[in-house]
């Protein structure tokens, strides 16, 4: 009999799921017309397309909606950052959401396959260096494709055990090689 | 080697032998066998009893269309599966299969008496025979029928297997890996498209797997198949999925595939799922599902040994198995002639080829003659004989008028039949594409598609190999082009024994008029040609009605082998052409699919999300009993020693009212409303007035729908001029957030205000009781906790243990209360520190049950318990919350509706039972006069009811018509065992003046 042929099976790199280091995280809502002012306050100009991200050093901004961005910075800089936005004259909302979310890094040659076990998007076609809101099983997630084999997955804290538990099952499934 | 194996044919791996059992009897087969081919290799044809008549049945087919050979497979505890088709069940070492629907044994089945009673069991027999006496249906007839008729027994243990799912995206999905599908895949893949190929078989190749005579581009078909699969696999852009059934075609080219991952393995690797459900989104789809051979309908066509000619050819050429030693071939189509020639050349006696047609091609006749096979043209079959296996058939010449003449008996141990081929249009039909009737082929063919799909091969009525390859290439190249990939379409040249003419027969003319003769149309549901004609005589006209009345096509095979025959017979009986009789609808799944495949990962711990708070682990360590609240699990109470819930709750209530209780309120919904128009936004959304609420102060907020009914509530704190911390109910949090976003985006896009969910940003610890402040003092910095500086309904930001703190002075118990909000990751540490700090005061952790009792003692409502979507603020006694001077808010106009201002509305009241020890049942109905006859006029119902430890008696809240005017009146609560009386009271049972809040 012929062997089952699946080009995915030729991958040898393992799948790794690990918690991402904690970062200060803010949800920024502001009229896109004031984007550049917000970028000045943040220190990194804000991306101009939903799903795009901009990064300088260890600060990163991700655009999630027409007037919504997520801002990341090292934990120690969180307070100072909030202070700078307090003096931003343009109407806006900056809310700390660093404790709301837990983030995980899913890495390896099978990372996209693993996530597509429960995420309906085409993660192979998703461009590296972009982000999207989507779902993983029943969990709303923010997914950043850092590179072809490296994804950052964020979800609300209480959903994390479900997400991690499911990824563990998928990890075993992929390891079985069938 | 068994005497039914042929040495030089078949793709089985002869060097290895597999042992298996069927009904406890041990047999041997080879890798590459199905259970069906292995049993046939051992001379076993009898594999089941039929659904209704318990007639002995054997294999009809060799593929997934098999209606008869359904077996139970036992793979160990929790791994029993009934109704598996033996024809697709791959053999593995140690396979244990059993036959079904027989007692006490397959060869001696008591239920077979039904066969003799046949005339009783005609179409609609359920409705005719068992109408009287009426009460007997449920108790006697139905259970007996259900026991006697049916398929396998349902598994009675939890499924021990795991299942997986996966989404996939591709440019071109090809369903079916026969010659047409493979040609399509090659054409698409060579153009550069990302291709997926799914085939239900263990091996890809379809008809090529049993084609020993054809050649493609000069090489044998089997060689072309191997080369093609190699090329596809080597491209790196092609995913080949054998053992994968396309079960359904859904909107916008979403196709469901069920992949059998481990069923064919004796030992599956750990972690491997049994099956995987793929949800494939394809920009283009090519359907190359092939065709299914039609049985001929004649008396005794269901006897073991009577099977489709194509199946016999497959068993011979693919599995190296002779289905018998003396094969009578009965056909209305050329393809069975080819089968006959193959069998004869393999050494099987073929006493005759009987064709209902009066003429066939000279080439066929010449070949038959060369092989020494007698041919009977213009003949029919009028019956078969043999108890558990066919032993002879009676054949009759058809006279000039079509009437059968005198019969002749032909001895045989198998009858191979063919009524031609039915293109498989199942998935095309799922996709809502329109089918067109081909008069020439007497078959339905795919017409104009509704999705981005193309059909190719036998599924379009093209029955030659050359035609399959050409239509496949054409479909594959076009699909790739439409997906954005242009390339030169490959060309293939096939050399084949092309013979594909035939005639369509409804059922064969029969010499016998016996009431006991049964010519089966639907083998799985035991429906005969006579049943279909009876349905027509009784007035059924539409095939949809005939189907339901006779149950033809309604078995687990969805009529794959029977629909067209049933339709042809109905068409003849009605005297109307087939297209006017209609066609029943094909529905997913294409073949029976396990529940496990649909469930995927969602079992056990992963069945659903269980949200846990940051403090959940402490509650678990301290033996909390949990309850689900929305997706959350919350600590309900903390029993000590052998305490019952009632005892634990009484203790928790006492401690909280007398010293201090601590409660995990982290699940409370939280929304941060920020922007210069924040107060205006809340003014428009909530009933309350917000403009004058000063920063540092809180207010109870009430949210209505436009209809004026209560939707949600919660305390709202103003942190700054432009920043509010809104709390919602636990279950209402997502709903309130989306209501807010909805109004902001659609009604008031002009407002400069934004909402962000912070439910999970903060862990919330509620401290309640006269000692609450003492616990916090010494831990909180930056906030003066004195009653003067930080009164009831104050909010402030500070630190606790050096961590950011939002402190609320609020109470859901009526006691001095604080809600400590800290960043979620620190929730557990702060909780543990507070427990420690509270030890001198006997701090008591309490759960949701105590929380419910304490708030009920104060008459605080719970949205969803006191309210049910029909309760207004006035009904709930919360009219005071409405900002009377506000020009508008959501629900303001709704509240002015005549029904909402009319008298007689159900209003929230307290109830005190005459028997202070009796706790009413929540949900119990209330009447004013218990002496009424049933049904009584119900004036309301109990919404909350508890034992109040503080009052030493029971309390209840209830919604009662005109309740607020009934103060002091007696109402009655009739229950099955007794009627209870209660006095209507106010809703605040404890500390009505609210003095304890200010402690």
């Amino acid at each position: 009999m012929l062997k089952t042929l699946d080009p995915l099976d030729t991958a040898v790199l393992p799948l790794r799921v690990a918690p991402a280091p904690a970062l200060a995280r803010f949800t920024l809502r502001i009229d896109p017309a004031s984007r550049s002012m917000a970028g000045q306050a943040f220190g990194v100009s804000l991306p101009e397309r939903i799903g795009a991200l901009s990064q300088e050093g260890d600060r990163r901004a991700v655009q999630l909606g027409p007037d919504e961005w997520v801002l990341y910075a090292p934990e120690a800089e969180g307070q100072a950052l909030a202070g700078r936005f307090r003096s931003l004259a343009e109407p806006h909302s900056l809310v700390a959401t660093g404790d709301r979310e837990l983030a995980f890094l899913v890495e390896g040659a099978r990372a996209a396959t693993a996530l597509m076990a429960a995420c309906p998007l085409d993660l192979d076609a998703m461009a590296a260096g972009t982000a999207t809101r989507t779902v993983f099983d029943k969990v709303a997630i923010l997914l950043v494709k850092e590179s072809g084999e490296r994804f950052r997955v964020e979800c609300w804290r209480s959903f994390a055990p479900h997400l991690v538990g499911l990824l563990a099952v998928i990890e075993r499934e992929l390891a079985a090689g069938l | 080697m068994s005497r039914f194996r042929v040495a030089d044919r078949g793709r089985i791996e002869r060097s290895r032998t597999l042992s298996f059992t069927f009904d406890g009897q041990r047999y041997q087969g080879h890798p590459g066998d199905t259970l069906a081919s292995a049993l046939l290799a051992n001379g076993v044809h009898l594999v089941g009893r039929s659904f209704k008549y318990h007639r002995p049945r054997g294999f009809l087919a060799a593929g997934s269309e098999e209606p008869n050979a359904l077996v139970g497979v036992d793979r160990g505890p929790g791994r029993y599966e009934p109704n598996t088709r033996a024809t697709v069940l791959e053999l593995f070492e140690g396979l244990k299969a059993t036959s079904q629907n027989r007692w006490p044994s397959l060869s001696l089945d008591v239920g077979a008496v039904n066969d003799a009673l046949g005339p009783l069991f005609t179409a609609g027999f359920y409705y005719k025979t068992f109408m009287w006496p009426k009460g007997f249906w449920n108790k006697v007839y139905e259970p007996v029928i259900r026991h006697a008729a049916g398929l396998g027994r349902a598994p009675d243990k939890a499924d021990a297997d795991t299942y997986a799912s996966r989404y996939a995206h591709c440019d071109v999905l090809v369903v079916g890996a026969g010659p047409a599908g493979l040609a399509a895949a090659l054409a698409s893949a060579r153009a550069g498209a990302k291709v997926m190929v799914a085939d239900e078989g263990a091996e890809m190749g379809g008809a090529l797997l049993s084609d020993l005579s054809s050649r493609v581009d000069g090489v044998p078909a089997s060689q072309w198949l191997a080369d093609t699969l190699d090329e596809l696999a080597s491209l790196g852009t092609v995913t080949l999925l054998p053992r994968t059934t396309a079960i359904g075609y859904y909107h916008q080219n979403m196709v469901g595939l069920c992949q059998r991952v481990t069923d064919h393995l004796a030992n599956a690797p750990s972690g491997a799922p049994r099956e995987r459900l793929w949800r494939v989104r394809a920009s283009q789809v090519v359907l190359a599902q092939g065709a299914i051979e039609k049985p001929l309908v004649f008396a005794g066509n269901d006897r073991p040994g009577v099977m489709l000619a194509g199946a016999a050819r497959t068993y011979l050429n693919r599995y190296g198995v002779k289905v018998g030693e003396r094969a009578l071939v009965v056909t209305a189509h050329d393809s069975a002639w080819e089968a006959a020639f193959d069998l004869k050349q393999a050494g099987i006696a073929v006493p005759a080829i009987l064709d209902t047609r009066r003429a066939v091609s000279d080439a066929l006749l010449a070949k038959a003659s060369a092989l020494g096979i007698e041919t009977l043209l213009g003949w029919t079959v009028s019956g078969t004989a043999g108890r558990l296996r066919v032993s002879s058939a009676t054949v009759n010449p058809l006279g000039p008028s079509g009437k059968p003449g005198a019969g002749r008996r032909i001895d045989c141990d198998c009858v191979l039949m063919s009524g031609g081929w039915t293109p498989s249009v199942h998935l095309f039909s799922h996709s809502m594409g329109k089918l067109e009737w081909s008069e020439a082929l007497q078959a339905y063919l795919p017409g104009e598609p509704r999705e981005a799909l193309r059909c190719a091969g036998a599924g379009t009525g093209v029955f030659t190999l050359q035609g399959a390859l050409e239509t496949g290439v054409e479909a594959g190249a076009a699909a790739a082009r439409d997906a954005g990939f242009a390339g030169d379409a490959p060309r293939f040249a096939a050399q084949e024994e092309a013979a594909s003419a035939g005639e369509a027969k409804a059922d064969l003319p029969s010499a016998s008029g016996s009431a006991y003769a049964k010519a089966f149309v639907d083998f799985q549901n035991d429906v005969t040609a006579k049943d279909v004609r009876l349905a027509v005589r009784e007035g059924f006209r539409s095939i949809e009605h005939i189907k339901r009345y006779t149950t033809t096509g309604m078995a687990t095979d969805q009529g794959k082998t029977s629909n067209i025959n049933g339709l042809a017979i109905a068409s003849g009986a009605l005297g109307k052409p087939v297209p006017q009789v209609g066609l029943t609808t094909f529905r997913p799944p294409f073949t029976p699919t396990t529940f496990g495949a649909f469930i995927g990962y969602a079992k056990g711990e992963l069945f659903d999300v269980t949200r846990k708070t940051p403090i959940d682990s402490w509650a678990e360590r301290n033996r909390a009993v949990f309850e689900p609240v929305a997706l959350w699990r919350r600590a309900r109470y903390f029993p000590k020693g052998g305490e019952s819930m009632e005892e634990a709750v009484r203790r928790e209530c006492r401690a909280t009212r007398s010293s201090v209780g601590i409660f995990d309120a982290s699940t409370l919904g939280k929304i941060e409303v920020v922007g210069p128009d924040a107060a205006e936004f809340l003014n428009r959304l909530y009933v309350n007035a917000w403009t004058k609420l000063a920063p540092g102060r809180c207010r109870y907020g009430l949210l209505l729908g436009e209809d004026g009914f209560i939707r949600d509530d919660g305390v709202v704190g103003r942190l700054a001029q432009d920043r509010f911390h809104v709390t919602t109910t636990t279950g209402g949090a997502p709903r309130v957030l989306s209501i807010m976003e909805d109004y902001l985006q659609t009604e008031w896009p002009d407002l400069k205000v934004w909402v962000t969910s912070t439910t999970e940003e903060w862990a919330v610890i509620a401290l309640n009781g006269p000692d609450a402040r003492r616990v916090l003092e010494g831990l909180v910095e930056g906030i003066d906790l004195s009653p003067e500086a930080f009164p009831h309904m104050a909010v402030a930001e500070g630190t606790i243990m050096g961590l950011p703190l939002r402190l609320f002075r609020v109470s859901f118990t009526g006691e001095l209360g604080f809600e400590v909000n800290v960043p979620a990751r620190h929730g557990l540490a702060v909780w543990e520190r507070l427990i420690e700090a509270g030890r001198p005061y006997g701090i008591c952790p309490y759960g949701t049950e105590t929380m419910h009792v304490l708030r009920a003692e104060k008459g605080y409502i719970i949205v969803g318990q006191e309210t049910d979507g029909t309760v207004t603020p006035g009904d709930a006694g919360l009219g005071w919350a409405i900002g009377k001077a506000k020009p508008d808010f959501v629900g303001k106009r709704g509240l002015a509706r005549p029904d909402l201002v009319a008298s007689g509305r159900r209003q929230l009241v307290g109830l005190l039972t005459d028997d202070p020890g009796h706790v009413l049942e929540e949900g119990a109905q209330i009447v004013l006069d218990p002496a009424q006859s049933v049904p009584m006029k119900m004036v309301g119902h109990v919404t909350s009811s508890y034992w109040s430890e503080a009052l030493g008696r029971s309390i209840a809240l209830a919604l009662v018509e005109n309740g607020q005017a009934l103060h002091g009146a007696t109402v009655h609560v009739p229950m099955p065992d007794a009627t209870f009386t209660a006095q209507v009271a106010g809703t605040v049972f404890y500390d009505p003046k609210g003095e304890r809040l200010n402690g």
Side-chain angles (χ1 to χ4, degrees):
Chain A
M1 272 197 303
L2 287 162
K3 186 181 164 297
T4 301
L5 300 168
D6 179 355
L8 299 174
D9 282 342
T10 57
V12 285
L13 279 179
L15 175 74
R16 203 161 60 251
V17 181
L23 292 170
R25 183 189 198 276
F26 295 92
T27 299
L28 171 67
R29 305 288 298 272
I30 192 167
D31 186 333
S34 308
R35 181 200 330 259
S36 61
M37 309 298 283
Q40 280 171 27
F42 182 44
V44 177
S45 58
L46 301 185
E48 301 186 13
R49 195 166 36 81
I50 293 171
L53 53 91
S54 59
Q55 179 141 10
E56 265 176 51
D58 36 22
R59 291 200 180 183
R60 169 185 277 187
V62 178
Q63 184 164 8
L64 290 188
D67 63 351
E68 182 173 0
W69 287 263
V70 183
L71 310 181
Y72 301 89
E75 283 227 287
E77 296 172 24
Q79 277 206 331
L81 198 60
R84 279 213 298 288
F85 272 91
R86 267 194 292 277
S87 45
L88 177 65
E90 279 70 17
H92 70 281
S93 157
L94 186 83
V95 175
T97 46
D99 276 59
R100 187 182 77 176
E101 313 273 333
L102 288 177
F104 301 89
L105 294 174
V106 180
E107 297 175 82
R110 310 298 300 273
T113 305
L115 290 169
M116 282 165 71
C119 174
L121 292 184
D122 186 352
L123 302 183
D124 290 319
M126 181 180 181
T130 63
T132 184
R133 262 197 278 236
T134 180
V135 291
F136 182 76
D137 194 33
K138 297 175 179 175
V139 182
I141 59 168
L142 170 58
L143 184 70
V144 183
K145 187 167 182 177
E146 306 276 1
S147 69
E149 297 187 354
R150 184 179 155 93
F151 293 85
R152 180 185 171 93
V153 184
E154 290 183 2
C155 69
W156 286 9
R157 175 174 288 268
S158 67
F159 290 89
H162 186 83
L163 181 136
V164 170
L166 180 47
L167 275 172
V169 169
I170 294 162
E171 218 175 329
R172 284 199 294 280
E173 174 192 340
L174 293 178
L178 290 177
Chain B
M1 197 171 73
S2 87
R3 54 191 266 249
F4 295 100
R5 276 293 174 197
V6 186
D8 54 347
R9 289 179 194 233
R11 305 172 67 87
I12 50 166
E13 199 182 317
R14 285 166 202 272
S15 56
R16 283 202 297 142
T17 299
L18 302 175
S19 252
F20 69 99
T21 65
F22 179 66
D23 281 347
Q25 173 87 39
R26 184 163 295 280
Y27 298 100
Q28 298 196 318
H30 299 289
D33 263 327
T34 60
L35 175 63
S37 68
L39 283 172
L40 287 170
N42 286 280
V44 178
H45 274 256
L46 174 65
V47 284
R49 288 277 175 171
S50 73
F51 181 73
K52 197 158 76 177
Y53 302 118
H54 287 243
R55 286 168 68 99
R57 288 283 166 83
F59 305 99
L60 179 72
S64 67
E65 71 272 29
E66 173 63 36
N68 286 337
L70 306 184
V71 299
V73 182
D74 188 354
R75 297 169 196 271
R79 294 191 163 92
Y80 172 79
E81 184 182 83
N83 304 336
T84 306
R85 287 149 296 150
T87 50
V88 296
L89 175 62
E90 289 177 61
L91 202 65
F92 56 86
E93 178 61 35
L95 168 64
K96 275 192 278 187
T98 48
S99 59
Q100 300 183 158
N101 201 28
R102 81 292 189 267
W103 185 85
S105 75
L106 186 53
S107 54
L108 178 73
D109 173 31
V110 168
V113 67
N114 287 2
D115 195 20
L117 300 174
L120 291 179
F121 291 93
T122 53
F125 77 100
Y126 260 45
Y127 317 112
K128 292 169 184 162
T129 318
F130 300 103
M131 287 301 288
W132 185 90
K134 202 173 164 217
F136 269 43
W137 174 253
N138 288 340
K139 292 194 175 63
V140 182
Y141 297 140
E142 196 187 14
V144 168
I145 293 168
R146 286 215 184 279
H147 181 74
L151 300 172
R153 69 176 167 83
D156 52 8
K157 306 221 167 26
D159 189 342
D161 282 309
T162 60
Y163 297 83
S165 35
R166 192 174 290 176
Y167 290 91
H169 303 256
C170 62
D171 300 312
V172 181
L173 168 68
V174 179
V175 176
L182 290 175
L186 263 186
S188 295
R190 283 186 187 169
K194 184 177 167 188
V195 177
M196 292 179 76
V197 187
D199 189 279
E200 62 177 353
E203 275 192 89
M204 293 194 152
L208 298 176
L209 296 170
S210 39
D211 186 342
L212 299 186
S213 53
S214 303
R215 300 172 78 83
V216 181
D217 291 346
V219 300
S222 58
Q223 186 59 49
W224 183 84
L225 170 62
D227 294 347
T228 300
L229 290 173
D230 280 349
E231 179 181 343
L232 289 172
S234 70
L235 288 172
T237 50
V238 181
T239 304
L240 296 176
L241 295 169
R243 301 190 177 90
T244 303
T245 305
I247 57 169
Y249 201 126
Y250 307 93
H251 295 290
Q252 296 178 330
N253 275 15
M254 167 74 86
V255 181
L257 310 177
C258 182
Q259 181 186 16
R260 300 186 302 283
V261 180
T262 58
D263 266 4
H264 61 293
L265 302 174
N267 297 299
S270 115
R274 179 181 175 218
E275 292 177 331
R276 180 181 291 125
L277 188 71
W278 294 71
R279 293 173 177 90
V280 180
R281 183 76 71 184
S283 31
Q284 301 289 322
V285 172
V286 176
L287 295 178
Q289 288 188 282
I292 293 170
E293 197 166 21
K294 266 190 296 186
L296 288 170
V297 182
F298 57 86
N301 63 344
D302 66 326
R303 216 173 287 283
V306 181
M307 65 164 62
L308 294 168
R313 197 183 188 195
T314 295
Y315 286 119
L316 177 66
N317 291 344
R318 178 169 173 189
Y319 300 103
V321 173
K322 296 189 283 188
V323 297
E325 288 173 326
R326 218 177 136 72
L328 170 66
V329 175
V330 179
T331 185
H333 192 271
D334 291 349
S335 66
W337 290 69
E338 303 291 342
F341 302 153
D342 270 9
L343 263 68
K344 176 76 179 177
Q345 280 161 343
I348 300 161
V350 179
I353 298 175
L354 177 157
D355 203 308
T356 58
R357 296 171 292 176
R358 292 177 200 275
V360 300
S361 77
D362 291 342
L364 292 178
L365 288 172
K367 191 155 183 192
S369 154
L371 287 166
I373 303 173
E374 183 187 357
T375 53
L376 304 169
L377 299 187
W379 283 60
T380 184
V381 190
S382 58
T384 62
R387 196 173 80 84
L388 299 175
R389 171 87 183 263
V390 67
S391 58
S392 70
T394 305
V395 301
N396 316 62
L398 291 169
S401 65
K403 285 257 182 243
R408 166 183 156 193
R409 210 181 75 167
I410 297 181
D411 289 336
C412 56
D413 63 358
C414 54
V415 176
L416 311 184
M417 59 181 167
S418 178
W421 297 79
T422 305
S424 262
V425 293
H426 299 75
L427 262 73
F428 181 81
S429 184
H430 295 175
S431 78
M432 307 299 287
K434 226 174 145 43
L435 297 173
E436 282 167 7
W437 176 252
S438 160
E439 200 55 40
L441 291 173
Q442 290 289 297
Y444 278 104
L445 299 179
E448 198 55 41
R450 293 267 289 269
E451 298 275 356
L453 74 82
R454 289 166 183 80
C455 299
T460 63
V462 173
F463 295 120
T464 62
L465 177 55
Q466 183 64 38
L469 294 169
E470 277 171 11
T471 54
V473 164
E474 198 180 319
R481 193 180 57 239
D482 284 1
F485 301 87
D488 292 337
R491 299 169 74 90
F492 304 107
Q495 300 124 278
E496 59 190 312
E497 313 274 338
S500 61
E503 69 171 359
K505 288 300 244 188
D507 51 347
L508 300 192
S510 170
S512 154
S514 160
Y516 294 92
K518 293 192 183 73
F520 284 89
V521 175
D522 184 324
F523 291 79
Q524 199 171 102
N525 263 357
D526 264 358
V527 181
T528 64
K530 216 176 286 172
D531 292 326
V532 177
R533 291 207 170 84
L534 178 64
V536 170
R537 278 205 307 281
E538 291 184 357
F540 293 91
R541 292 291 175 268
S542 155
I543 194 65
E544 293 286 358
H545 293 147
I546 293 168
K547 164 184 166 176
R548 281 159 181 80
Y549 190 58
T550 62
T551 74
T552 185
M554 286 175 68
T556 65
D557 63 349
Q558 278 198 57
K560 288 187 175 61
T561 53
S562 64
N563 279 342
I564 290 293
N565 281 333
L567 197 53
I569 292 167
S571 151
L574 286 163
K576 286 201 284 189
V578 169
Q580 280 181 36
V581 182
L583 177 69
T584 55
T585 313
F586 295 107
R587 293 194 175 84
F590 173 64
T591 48
T593 306
T594 64
F595 287 117
F598 291 111
I599 287 160
Y601 302 108
K603 59 186 284 190
E605 292 258 286
L606 294 173
F607 172 66
D608 203 352
V609 175
T610 302
R611 300 176 71 181
K612 296 176 187 173
T613 75
I615 296 153
D616 181 272
S617 62
W618 187 94
E620 192 169 278
R621 280 203 306 282
N622 287 273
R623 294 192 301 280
V625 174
F626 293 95
E627 68 166 342
V629 181
L631 283 180
W632 293 96
R633 73 164 196 176
R634 302 191 70 181
R636 190 174 187 194
Y637 58 98
F638 292 86
K640 277 188 175 172
E643 271 181 345
S644 65
M645 177 169 100
E646 194 189 333
E647 290 161 344
V649 169
R650 288 183 185 207
R651 175 178 51 72
E652 292 171 13
C653 287
R654 274 196 307 274
T656 305
R657 294 242 182 262
S658 64
S659 56
V660 61
I662 185 168
F663 176 69
D664 179 4
S666 301
T667 64
L668 266 189
K670 296 173 264 312
I671 299 167
E672 202 138 314
V673 177
V674 184
D677 293 328
E680 175 58 19
F681 172 60
L682 292 177
N683 270 337
R684 294 185 192 183
L685 198 63
Y686 279 72
V687 305
N688 320 69
W690 301 97
T691 313
K692 288 182 186 155
L693 183 71
R697 299 292 299 164
C698 304
R699 182 162 288 168
Y700 170 76
L702 196 57
L703 178 68
L704 310 183
E706 296 284 7
D707 52 18
F709 297 130
I710 294 174
R711 290 290 193 280
D712 205 82
D713 69 350
V715 167
V716 178
R718 189 167 200 172
L719 299 171
Q721 201 59 30
D722 64 348
R723 189 174 290 255
F724 288 82
H725 178 120
V726 175
T727 66
T728 73
T729 58
T730 292
R735 184 165 57 239
V736 175
L737 186 76
S738 73
I739 288 173
M740 288 181 168
E741 274 292 357
D742 192 357
Y743 277 102
L744 280 175
Q745 291 181 26
T746 61
E747 302 292 327
W748 313 314
D750 52 307
L751 292 186
K752 297 284 178 210
V753 58
W754 296 271
V755 296
T756 305
S757 172
T758 49
T759 301
E760 297 226 37
E761 176 71 9
W762 302 99
V764 183
I765 302 163
L767 285 170
N768 280 275
D771 291 325
R773 183 182 291 108
R774 293 184 191 97
V775 177
L776 281 176
E777 276 168 354
L779 292 176
V780 171
E781 290 172 1
I783 303 171
D784 179 354
L785 294 181
S786 68
E788 301 72 34
F790 198 62
H792 182 54
M793 297 306 256
V795 60
E797 292 181 277
T799 61
I800 183 168
M801 299 164 60
L803 303 165
L805 165 69
R806 276 184 190 173
L807 187 64
F808 289 76
R809 171 104 189 258
V810 291
S811 173
F812 200 43
T813 61
E815 301 296 328
L816 168 65
F818 296 89
E819 282 182 5
V820 175
N821 286 247
V822 293
R825 81 185 80 165
H826 304 298
L828 181 59
V830 173
W831 171 277
E832 286 175 334
R833 183 74 188 84
L834 288 171
I835 293 267
E836 201 184 303
R839 201 153 279 146
Y841 311 100
I843 194 168
C844 175
Y846 66 90
T848 50
E849 193 64 25
T850 291
M851 179 266 280
H852 284 154
V853 175
L854 297 177
R855 65 89 205 175
E857 289 173 342
K858 293 294 298 176
Y860 299 147
I861 68 159
I862 288 185
V863 171
Q865 187 158 342
E866 269 65 56
T867 71
D868 58 3
T870 68
V871 176
T872 67
D875 298 340
L878 297 171
W880 55 265
I882 297 174
K884 305 287 186 299
K886 293 205 299 182
D888 199 8
F889 57 83
V890 172
K892 184 176 170 83
R893 264 170 275 184
L895 286 176
R897 289 190 291 150
D899 279 2
L900 270 60
V901 295
S903 64
R905 292 195 59 78
R906 291 190 172 186
Q907 296 164 331
L908 191 69
V909 295
L911 288 186
L912 291 170
T913 47
D914 289 354
D915 170 4
H918 181 74
V919 180
L920 292 169
E921 201 167 303
E922 288 177 355
Q925 295 292 326
I926 296 164
V927 301
L928 294 178
D929 173 11
Q932 301 167 75
S933 55
V934 177
M936 299 187 190
K937 157 119 175 99
M938 296 175 285
V939 296
H941 66 276
V942 177
T943 60
S944 290
S945 181
Y946 306 97
W947 172 261
S948 165
E949 188 67 0
L951 275 70
R953 59 153 302 140
S954 68
I955 57 167
L957 295 170
L959 284 166
V960 178
E961 270 179 35
N962 288 324
Q964 284 153 8
L966 288 177
H967 216 280
T970 299
V971 294
H972 304 268
V973 181
M975 297 300 287
D977 46 343
T979 296
F980 300 95
T981 52
Q983 310 302 313
V984 176
T987 55
V988 186
F989 299 98
Y990 183 69
D991 183 26
K993 290 185 177 157
E995 287 158 346
R996 300 181 67 86
L997 282 172
N998 302 318

